[in-house]
Short mmCIF file of all heavy atoms in Angstrom, two decimals:
data_model
loop_
_atom_site.label_atom_id
_atom_site.label_comp_id
_atom_site.label_asym_id
_atom_site.label_seq_id
_atom_site.Cartn_x
_atom_site.Cartn_y
_atom_site.Cartn_z
N ALA A 66 -14.16 13.38 -19.79
CA ALA A 66 -13.71 12.78 -21.04
C ALA A 66 -14.12 11.31 -21.02
O ALA A 66 -14.28 10.72 -19.94
CB ALA A 66 -12.20 12.91 -21.15
N ASP A 67 -14.30 10.74 -22.20
CA ASP A 67 -14.70 9.33 -22.27
C ASP A 67 -13.49 8.46 -21.95
O ASP A 67 -12.57 8.34 -22.76
CB ASP A 67 -15.24 9.02 -23.67
CG ASP A 67 -15.86 7.64 -23.72
OD1 ASP A 67 -15.56 6.82 -22.82
OD2 ASP A 67 -16.64 7.36 -24.65
N ILE A 68 -13.52 7.88 -20.77
CA ILE A 68 -12.35 7.09 -20.36
C ILE A 68 -12.47 5.64 -20.82
O ILE A 68 -11.60 4.82 -20.52
CB ILE A 68 -12.13 7.16 -18.83
CG1 ILE A 68 -13.43 6.94 -18.09
CG2 ILE A 68 -11.54 8.50 -18.45
CD1 ILE A 68 -13.27 6.92 -16.59
N LYS A 69 -13.55 5.35 -21.57
CA LYS A 69 -13.69 3.98 -22.08
C LYS A 69 -12.74 3.74 -23.25
O LYS A 69 -12.40 2.61 -23.57
CB LYS A 69 -15.12 3.77 -22.56
CG LYS A 69 -15.87 2.81 -21.69
CD LYS A 69 -17.16 2.38 -22.32
CE LYS A 69 -18.12 2.06 -21.19
NZ LYS A 69 -19.26 2.94 -21.14
N LEU A 70 -12.40 4.81 -23.94
CA LEU A 70 -11.59 4.65 -25.14
C LEU A 70 -10.13 4.64 -24.72
O LEU A 70 -9.61 5.66 -24.30
CB LEU A 70 -11.86 5.82 -26.09
CG LEU A 70 -13.35 6.02 -26.41
CD1 LEU A 70 -13.57 7.34 -27.11
CD2 LEU A 70 -13.87 4.87 -27.23
N PRO A 71 -9.49 3.49 -24.82
CA PRO A 71 -8.16 3.37 -24.23
C PRO A 71 -7.19 4.41 -24.78
O PRO A 71 -6.40 4.99 -24.03
CB PRO A 71 -7.70 1.98 -24.63
CG PRO A 71 -8.85 1.28 -25.23
CD PRO A 71 -9.93 2.28 -25.49
N GLU A 72 -7.28 4.71 -26.08
CA GLU A 72 -6.29 5.65 -26.62
C GLU A 72 -6.50 7.04 -26.01
O GLU A 72 -5.57 7.82 -25.88
CB GLU A 72 -6.31 5.70 -28.15
CG GLU A 72 -7.51 6.35 -28.78
CD GLU A 72 -8.69 5.39 -28.88
OE1 GLU A 72 -8.67 4.31 -28.26
OE2 GLU A 72 -9.64 5.73 -29.57
N GLN A 73 -7.75 7.31 -25.57
CA GLN A 73 -8.00 8.62 -24.98
C GLN A 73 -7.51 8.67 -23.54
O GLN A 73 -7.37 9.73 -22.96
CB GLN A 73 -9.47 8.96 -25.05
CG GLN A 73 -9.87 9.16 -26.50
CD GLN A 73 -11.30 9.56 -26.64
OE1 GLN A 73 -12.01 9.71 -25.67
NE2 GLN A 73 -11.72 9.74 -27.87
N ALA A 74 -7.27 7.51 -23.00
CA ALA A 74 -6.71 7.49 -21.66
C ALA A 74 -5.19 7.38 -21.75
O ALA A 74 -4.52 7.11 -20.78
CB ALA A 74 -7.27 6.33 -20.87
N GLY A 75 -4.68 7.57 -22.94
CA GLY A 75 -3.23 7.63 -23.11
C GLY A 75 -2.58 6.27 -23.18
O GLY A 75 -1.37 6.16 -23.04
N ARG A 76 -3.38 5.22 -23.39
CA ARG A 76 -2.78 3.90 -23.35
C ARG A 76 -2.47 3.34 -24.73
O ARG A 76 -1.77 2.39 -24.88
CB ARG A 76 -3.70 2.94 -22.61
CG ARG A 76 -3.60 3.15 -21.13
CD ARG A 76 -4.35 2.12 -20.39
NE ARG A 76 -5.77 2.46 -20.35
CZ ARG A 76 -6.69 1.65 -19.91
NH1 ARG A 76 -6.38 0.45 -19.54
NH2 ARG A 76 -7.93 2.04 -19.86
N GLY A 77 -3.10 3.93 -25.75
CA GLY A 77 -2.93 3.36 -27.09
C GLY A 77 -1.84 4.07 -27.86
O GLY A 77 -1.13 4.93 -27.33
N GLY A 80 -2.23 8.42 -29.30
CA GLY A 80 -2.23 9.66 -28.52
C GLY A 80 -3.52 9.75 -27.72
O GLY A 80 -4.21 8.77 -27.50
N ARG A 81 -3.86 10.96 -27.29
CA ARG A 81 -5.03 11.09 -26.42
C ARG A 81 -5.94 12.19 -26.93
O ARG A 81 -5.54 13.01 -27.76
CB ARG A 81 -4.59 11.38 -25.01
CG ARG A 81 -3.90 12.74 -24.89
CD ARG A 81 -3.60 13.03 -23.45
NE ARG A 81 -2.79 14.21 -23.28
CZ ARG A 81 -3.26 15.37 -22.81
NH1 ARG A 81 -4.53 15.49 -22.50
NH2 ARG A 81 -2.46 16.38 -22.66
N LEU A 82 -7.13 12.19 -26.36
CA LEU A 82 -8.07 13.24 -26.71
C LEU A 82 -7.44 14.57 -26.30
O LEU A 82 -7.03 14.75 -25.16
CB LEU A 82 -9.36 13.01 -25.93
CG LEU A 82 -10.52 13.91 -26.26
CD1 LEU A 82 -11.03 13.65 -27.67
CD2 LEU A 82 -11.63 13.72 -25.26
N ILE A 137 -5.02 10.86 -12.85
CA ILE A 137 -4.62 11.88 -13.83
C ILE A 137 -4.92 13.27 -13.26
O ILE A 137 -5.42 13.39 -12.14
CB ILE A 137 -5.31 11.66 -15.21
CG1 ILE A 137 -6.84 11.62 -15.06
CG2 ILE A 137 -4.81 10.39 -15.86
CD1 ILE A 137 -7.58 11.42 -16.38
N ALA A 265 0.35 16.29 -17.64
CA ALA A 265 -0.82 15.44 -17.93
C ALA A 265 -0.39 14.20 -18.70
O ALA A 265 -0.86 13.08 -18.41
CB ALA A 265 -1.85 16.23 -18.73
N ASP A 266 0.49 14.37 -19.67
CA ASP A 266 0.96 13.22 -20.45
C ASP A 266 1.66 12.20 -19.57
O ASP A 266 1.47 10.99 -19.70
CB ASP A 266 1.90 13.68 -21.57
CG ASP A 266 1.14 14.34 -22.72
OD1 ASP A 266 -0.10 14.24 -22.73
OD2 ASP A 266 1.77 14.97 -23.58
N CYS A 268 1.13 11.69 -16.39
CA CYS A 268 0.14 10.98 -15.57
C CYS A 268 -0.64 9.97 -16.41
O CYS A 268 -0.90 8.85 -15.97
CB CYS A 268 -0.86 11.97 -14.95
SG CYS A 268 -0.14 13.00 -13.69
N LEU A 269 -1.04 10.38 -17.62
CA LEU A 269 -1.83 9.49 -18.46
C LEU A 269 -1.09 8.20 -18.78
O LEU A 269 -1.71 7.15 -18.98
CB LEU A 269 -2.20 10.20 -19.76
CG LEU A 269 -3.44 11.07 -19.68
CD1 LEU A 269 -3.48 12.04 -20.85
CD2 LEU A 269 -4.70 10.22 -19.66
N ALA A 270 0.25 8.30 -18.84
CA ALA A 270 1.03 7.11 -19.21
C ALA A 270 1.41 6.29 -17.98
O ALA A 270 2.12 5.30 -18.08
CB ALA A 270 2.28 7.55 -19.95
N SER A 271 0.93 6.68 -16.79
CA SER A 271 1.42 6.03 -15.57
C SER A 271 0.68 4.74 -15.24
O SER A 271 -0.49 4.55 -15.61
CB SER A 271 1.28 6.99 -14.38
OG SER A 271 -0.09 7.19 -14.10
N SER A 274 -2.54 5.51 -13.27
CA SER A 274 -3.80 5.82 -13.95
C SER A 274 -4.38 4.58 -14.62
O SER A 274 -5.59 4.36 -14.60
CB SER A 274 -3.62 6.97 -14.94
OG SER A 274 -3.37 6.50 -16.23
N ARG A 275 -3.53 3.73 -15.18
CA ARG A 275 -4.04 2.49 -15.78
C ARG A 275 -4.79 1.66 -14.72
O ARG A 275 -5.86 1.14 -14.95
CB ARG A 275 -2.89 1.66 -16.37
CG ARG A 275 -2.38 2.20 -17.70
CD ARG A 275 -1.00 1.63 -18.02
NE ARG A 275 -0.88 0.19 -17.77
CZ ARG A 275 -1.31 -0.75 -18.58
NH1 ARG A 275 -1.87 -0.43 -19.72
NH2 ARG A 275 -1.17 -2.03 -18.28
N ILE A 278 -8.15 3.45 -13.66
CA ILE A 278 -9.20 3.36 -14.68
C ILE A 278 -9.74 1.92 -14.72
O ILE A 278 -10.94 1.68 -14.83
CB ILE A 278 -8.67 3.83 -16.05
CG1 ILE A 278 -8.44 5.35 -15.99
CG2 ILE A 278 -9.65 3.49 -17.18
CD1 ILE A 278 -7.77 5.96 -17.21
N PHE A 282 -13.80 0.87 -14.03
CA PHE A 282 -14.67 0.04 -14.87
C PHE A 282 -14.95 -1.33 -14.24
O PHE A 282 -16.01 -1.90 -14.43
CB PHE A 282 -14.11 -0.09 -16.28
CG PHE A 282 -14.30 1.18 -17.08
CD1 PHE A 282 -13.22 1.90 -17.52
CD2 PHE A 282 -15.57 1.67 -17.33
CE1 PHE A 282 -13.40 3.10 -18.22
CE2 PHE A 282 -15.77 2.86 -18.02
CZ PHE A 282 -14.68 3.57 -18.47
#
Side-chain angles (χ1 to χ4, degrees):
D67 189 341
I68 47 177
K69 248 192 209 115
L70 307 169
E72 71 278 13
Q73 292 182 1
R76 283 187 278 171
R81 66 175 172 107
L82 186 67
I137 55 180
D266 285 348
C268 290
L269 275 163
S271 68
S274 95
R275 283 163 44 80
I278 291 173
F282 286 116

